Amino acid sequence: MTAPRSQSAGPGILEAVLAFGVGLLLLAAFLAVAGFDVGASLAALWRGAFGSWYAISSATLVRATPLIILGLAFTIASKGGALNIGMEGQFALGAIAATWAGLHVAALPPYFAIPMVLGAGAIAGAAWMLLPVALRLRFGVTEVISTLLLNFVADAAVSYAVTGPLQEPSHIYPQSGPIALSAQLPKLVSGARMHLGLPIALLLALLVGLLFWKSRWGFRLRAVGAGATAAKVTGGIAASGVLATALLWSGALAGLGGAVEVSGVSYALYQNLSPGYGFTAIAVALLGRLQPLGVVIAGLLFGALEAGAGAMQRDAGVPAVAVQVVEAVVILTLVVLTRRQERAL
Amino acid sequence: MIGDLLTAAVRVATPLALAAIGETVVERGGVINLGIEGAMLAGAFGAAVGAGAAGTGAGVAAALLAGVATAAIFAAIAIGVRADQIITGTAVTLGTTGLTGVIARRVFGDGGAGLSLPTLAKVRIPGLSNIPLIGEPFFNQSSLTYFTYLVIPLAGWLIFRTRYGLELRAAGESPQAAAAVGVRVGRVQTVAILLGGAMAGLAGASLVLAQVGTFTERMTGGRGFIAIAIVVLGRQRPGPVAAAALLFGGATALQYVVQASGSGVPYQLWIALPYLLALAVVARRRPGRN
């Protein structure tokens, strides 16, 4: 068995730190060129992310939770050599299913209700992945196209849900009614918005790590990701089965991410529940070098960035989308550095 | 009623067709550029700035340049360093969303939506516009729609009848074999990507100058990704791609009608339909292509 390709190993820690630094530096330069007060903007960014216990516990860690879960979702698919560009859609489906479940479990105690709500989200996310899996295995259609297309269908599904079957009782607003109290994830500390979703995300990272490195399936997954043909010829591994499982788990995690967001933050279904988490999480996974621990750290960093962006918009008038510049620069720097390494080998 | 629907369909289809025909050229070269969503957004922004400063002509020119610039970043990384195209394209789109959002706030102020721009007037083509049923919808549109009509055969000619097109298709089908017979694969693909960027930029221009009349943050709303679906639906042939764009435009226009008429079918089904159709079409394609 040869070592996995450097693509699946991802860039080193040094590269990750460098990429994040370059991202922040270019953001500062860009804000200066665009005529914003750079000092005030970055100060607001810092305040919103780490400036107070409230910023950390009610903004940064709340934003980091879905990013970590979705980052893990992208990582699982990537390890098997597949790109899940449809996490936005699986997240949405997970949110729909979780809301539906959450509206029906009022009679149950939380320790039954919460697993049911989260389970519904995960199942819906995986189910949303069935079509891309079938298309890839049966017709050789790349999951990139199919998952991307399904994002739009998911969007329409949310729109239908909040104006149709799941609409709040007065039928005025395009949103669902609040889910049952027993379906809501408990807060970790009183007075802070962070919720049980964070430890769940950390636990998932641990489980994914164990799966990758300690299980037979993880070994097969890495083998297939490193080269499907080689895995089949030398290891007798059925690449398509492993790939299908990886995509389904990826969808399940993304769906769970949506469920955690409903159950821990919004308590109801809205349109545009995700401010692009499904795409930001690609940056998280890449920055985290496609390693569970790395994804946790990168998720926290991007969570901080997203939280800081809110403050930057409020206090310095810089639109929150500015952080997408950082995300883009991080991704592009990393892919360039990784490619340079590969070529040097 | 049908005439109005068709008019709206053609108007909505124009930016989709422009971007999709550009992406058709790109994909013929074996490249997929998810960054055209970003290029279209950059084009929309360029159009708004250019038109606001010096009229619609400047708007169209600025849109074209902005689209090419965005595509150049994609080309430098995806072709120059041969980084993963999907990831690079996604990042380019993310970055453009951020850049245009921030600069727009600076240029247009907090109001944004209140911004009023000169727009492209409808141009009635004498004679053709008198054809019953289709005359008015197809031949009383903005100049960018007529430009789209021209681009359809031009793209077909470029892809199937020129030396460049031959090299492009060779690069797309087998880069190694193409390189072996002397095709400079990277250069051929880069040209296609820049061309695709220019078209996406024009798509952004038509969105701002002929459809919406203003610039707002993230205003393309996935139209670039839809263009990629349209390329799939049209099987990488300019004519069918344009027809597929019209189908998407029609489905979008139909939503408004259905929404207004209050029939039993949820209008979201109409929104989802083109994407489901695209999925059905990719599934019918010959296996093993990817």
Side-chain angles (χ1 to χ4, degrees):
Chain A
M1 186 65 207
T2 51
R5 280 191 320 182
S6 50
Q7 184 223 339
S8 43
I13 292 172
L14 195 67
E15 281 84 355
V17 173
L18 186 66
F20 198 75
V22 171
L24 279 182
L25 211 65
L26 280 183
L27 174 71
F30 166 61
L31 289 179
V33 171
F36 287 97
D37 183 340
V38 178
S41 304
L42 294 185
L45 185 74
W46 176 263
R47 256 200 323 279
F50 298 114
S52 61
W53 166 242
Y54 182 83
I56 295 172
S57 64
S58 293
T60 291
L61 292 176
V62 174
R63 295 283 193 147
T65 300
L67 290 177
I68 293 172
I69 298 175
L70 291 176
L72 293 171
F74 188 80
T75 299
I76 284 201
S78 294
K79 283 278 192 221
L83 290 172
N84 181 4
I85 309 293
M87 293 187 290
E88 223 27 41
Q90 296 132 26
F91 183 96
L93 260 287
I96 294 176
T99 306
W100 175 79
L103 292 170
H104 287 88
V105 291
L108 295 174
Y111 47 84
F112 280 128
I114 289 172
M116 284 181 74
V117 166
L118 298 187
I123 290 169
W128 200 240
M129 190 55 106
L130 279 174
L131 186 63
V133 167
L135 288 176
R136 164 111 190 213
L137 296 190
R138 176 75 181 76
F139 300 101
V141 174
T142 167
E143 73 286 348
V144 171
I145 296 282
S146 54
T147 56
L148 185 63
L149 287 175
L150 283 174
N151 282 341
F152 297 97
V153 181
D155 228 25
V158 172
S159 163
Y160 171 64
V162 296
T163 53
L166 294 183
Q167 192 173 24
E168 44 83 33
S170 72
H171 291 282
I172 297 171
Y173 304 102
Q175 64 185 60
S176 77
I179 58 170
L181 218 55
S182 61
Q184 299 177 1
L185 290 175
K187 302 281 186 240
L188 292 180
V189 197
S190 71
R193 291 176 61 219
M194 67 178 173
H195 52 83
L196 196 64
L198 182 67
I200 290 176
L202 298 179
L203 184 68
L204 286 171
L206 186 68
L207 288 177
V208 170
L210 289 175
L211 199 67
F212 281 168
W213 303 108
K214 299 288 180 212
S215 77
R216 235 178 130 76
W217 184 77
F219 171 75
R220 291 179 173 183
L221 182 70
R222 284 179 288 135
V224 169
T229 318
K232 188 170 183 181
V233 172
T234 62
I237 296 171
S240 56
V242 174
L243 183 76
T245 325
L247 279 172
L248 290 174
W249 275 116
S250 179
L253 273 178
L256 180 63
V260 165
E261 194 69 2
V262 165
S263 174
V265 179
S266 70
Y267 305 140
L269 186 67
Y270 300 91
Q271 265 168 302
N272 306 321
L273 189 64
S274 154
Y277 286 143
F279 290 102
T280 304
I282 297 175
V284 167
L286 294 178
L287 186 65
R289 307 183 300 142
L290 301 178
Q291 309 290 349
L293 179 62
V295 168
V296 169
I297 297 169
L300 291 170
L301 268 178
F302 273 96
L305 209 55
E306 297 265 343
M312 203 162 67
Q313 178 157 328
R314 279 194 307 277
D315 302 349
V318 178
V321 284
V323 290
Q324 294 198 354
V325 178
V326 183
E327 291 166 18
V329 172
V330 167
I331 297 177
L332 294 178
T333 311
L334 284 174
V335 289
V336 169
L337 289 173
T338 316
R339 284 301 302 178
R340 289 220 181 281
Q341 270 181 345
E342 275 175 40
R343 286 168 137 196
L345 290 176
Chain B
M1 159 79 182
I2 289 177
D4 289 346
L5 191 69
L6 208 51
T7 304
V10 173
R11 191 175 57 237
V12 174
T14 299
L16 298 177
L18 282 168
I21 292 170
E23 178 68 9
T24 298
V25 177
V26 176
E27 290 191 19
R28 281 284 176 174
V31 177
I32 177 163
N33 181 7
L34 294 189
I36 62 165
E37 168 74 13
M40 199 196 277
L41 187 60
F45 178 71
V49 173
T56 52
V60 172
L64 193 135
L65 286 178
V68 171
T70 310
I73 296 172
F74 173 81
I77 295 170
I79 305 302
V81 246
R82 294 196 206 165
D84 187 286
Q85 294 170 6
I86 303 300
I87 293 191
T88 306
T90 309
V92 165
T93 295
L94 268 175
T96 324
T97 311
L99 287 176
T100 53
V102 174
I103 308 176
R105 177 68 59 91
R106 202 70 208 165
V107 178
F108 305 129
D110 294 338
L115 166 86
S116 64
L117 290 173
T119 50
L120 288 168
K122 284 189 168 191
V123 182
R124 181 182 293 278
I125 308 275
L128 286 174
S129 62
N130 295 332
I131 303 172
L133 202 64
I134 62 163
E136 186 72 18
F138 283 91
F139 299 105
N140 186 16
Q141 293 279 359
S142 80
S143 49
L144 280 172
T145 300
Y146 302 131
F147 176 73
T148 311
Y149 299 161
L150 278 181
V151 160
I152 300 166
L154 272 179
W157 172 78
L158 180 73
I159 293 169
F160 298 109
R161 294 272 181 270
T162 63
R163 163 128 203 111
Y164 171 77
L166 186 67
E167 294 187 350
L168 182 73
R169 283 179 290 135
E173 272 159 37
S174 171
Q176 286 87 359
V181 297
V183 174
R184 293 162 126 178
V185 173
R187 175 185 290 198
V188 167
Q189 288 174 331
T190 301
V191 170
I193 290 167
L194 296 180
L195 204 66
M199 297 284 286
L202 290 178
S206 93
L207 191 63
V208 167
L209 300 178
Q211 201 176 319
V212 182
T214 182
F215 179 85
T216 50
E217 201 178 286
R218 302 169 194 263
M219 74 176 289
T220 45
R223 282 180 181 81
F225 296 141
I226 298 172
I228 289 169
I230 287 172
V231 176
V232 174
L233 196 60
R235 300 184 175 206
Q236 301 187 357
R237 292 171 174 278
V241 163
L246 188 61
L247 191 71
F248 267 72
T252 309
L254 209 56
Q255 284 162 33
Y256 306 132
V257 179
V258 175
Q259 212 169 352
S261 76
S263 75
V265 184
Y267 74 93
Q268 289 91 355
L269 188 66
W270 298 102
I271 303 181
L273 195 64
Y275 304 103
L276 295 171
L277 197 65
L279 279 168
V281 170
V282 282
R284 276 185 47 221
R285 208 163 57 171
R286 131 184 94 87
R289 174 86 210 286
N290 297 296

